[in-house]
Amino acid sequence: MERNKALVVFSGGQDSTTCLFWALENFKEVHTITFTYGQRHGIEVEMARKIAEKAGVDFHLTDIAAIASIGRNSLTDSSIEMDQKKPADSFPNTFVPGRNLFFISIAAVYAREKGIYDIVTGVSQTDFSGYPDCRDSFIRSLNVTLNLAMDEQFVIHTPLMWIDKAQTWALADRLGVLELVRKETLTCYNGIPGDGCGHCPACRLRNEGLRKYLEGQGDSSLRSE
Ligand code: ZN
């Protein structure tokens, strides 16, 4: 079996955009799949589409709104106030239960249709914010399950699993897309592209990582005053 095609689970955020360019470096043919699941900010999808276009890769949009209608979380339900940090004894309410389970499972079905057996996802155990479905053990378990479910030999690639946000910026820089990731992706929970609102948990993690990376590079433009 030729393994020169990859499918990237793509949201248009920092992590999956970095993974998209990682995939372009490592595979001859790259496809993306993006999910809508009732996110508060539809702009996310449009940004993802633009990045895919710029990267010259196939963009496939799939709606799985059902996961938001059966599991309550603050990313899809604006009546819930968003946790600003991880509560001591549970997940932040930005956790969408089952999200990566569904995303990657559906991605695998789509990949198989296209003759693709390499799936790339931007999950990271290092900065996992308490989300259990970002951990390596879960991804390995799901990989085995998908292979058993479809009698195939999928490989789920997780280039960011063991690196932190600063190292993710370093990777984007090495791939030549630091500016693109910085300006054209959306990570902010408040739906503000680029450097974002600056105060939601996703912005804090992203901006702190960027500051750390740029400081290591001797660039003081982002240093806090
Ligand atoms: Zn924000």
Side-chain angles (χ1 to χ4, degrees):
M1 186 193 302
E2 249 190 292
R3 308 290 296 233
N4 55 13
K5 297 199 266 184
L7 176 68
V8 180
V9 180
F10 185 55
S11 72
Q14 176 192 357
D15 294 343
S16 63
T17 301
T18 304
C19 285
L20 168 58
F21 288 93
W22 177 89
L24 282 165
E25 189 184 63
N26 287 283
F27 294 89
K28 224 191 262 171
E29 187 181 322
V30 175
H31 296 248
T32 62
I33 185 167
T34 297
F35 296 99
T36 50
Y37 54 98
Q39 301 97 314
R40 286 185 189 183
H41 311 290
I43 180 182
E44 223 177 305
V45 172
E46 281 323 300
M47 296 189 68
R49 190 194 303 275
K50 274 192 202 139
I51 295 165
E53 212 171 280
K54 198 171 262 191
V57 299
D58 185 54
F59 177 81
H60 184 80
L61 192 63
T62 298
D63 181 57
I64 49 166
I67 68 164
S69 67
I70 55 175
R72 265 165 59 86
N73 69 84
S74 67
L75 280 195
T76 56
D77 186 342
S78 54
S79 70
I80 305 174
E81 197 179 333
M82 197 175 287
D83 281 336
Q84 291 303 308
K85 56 178 191 234
K86 182 184 177 313
D89 55 350
S90 72
F91 323 118
N93 63 15
T94 48
F95 178 55
V96 181
R99 180 167 52 179
N100 283 331
L101 172 66
F102 290 119
F103 278 15
I104 297 167
S105 300
I106 293 167
V109 175
Y110 176 71
R112 187 175 175 278
E113 274 306 304
K114 299 228 148 215
I116 302 172
Y117 299 93
D118 290 270
I119 298 167
V120 183
T121 168
V123 297
S124 171
Q125 177 150 342
T126 312
D127 281 332
F128 80 125
S129 308
Y131 298 167
D133 60 353
C134 290
R135 288 184 292 206
D136 191 54
S137 55
F138 163 70
I139 297 294
R140 284 167 184 268
S141 158
L142 181 59
N143 201 150
V144 171
T145 298
L146 290 172
N147 289 349
L148 291 172
M150 288 177 259
D151 198 15
E152 298 289 2
Q153 293 296 315
F154 291 105
V155 176
I156 305 178
H157 300 266
T158 54
L160 312 184
M161 183 60 78
W162 306 109
I163 65 176
D164 65 14
K165 276 285 185 281
Q167 292 167 307
T168 303
W169 284 111
L171 176 59
D173 203 6
R174 186 182 68 68
L175 293 165
V177 291
L178 182 90
E179 281 307 297
L180 182 148
V181 172
R182 185 169 174 187
K183 300 208 168 97
E184 297 175 37
T185 64
L186 188 149
T187 307
C188 175
Y189 287 153
N190 291 310
I192 301 168
D195 290 337
C197 75
H199 54 76
C200 75
C203 278
R204 286 206 303 264
L205 197 59
R206 169 177 165 139
N207 294 346
E208 195 45 53
L210 182 58
R211 183 172 296 129
K212 201 170 133 199
Y213 174 62
L214 293 179
E215 277 182 4
Q217 296 295 297
D219 182 334
S220 61
S221 67
L222 250 201
R223 204 163 289 171
S224 45
E225 49 286 339

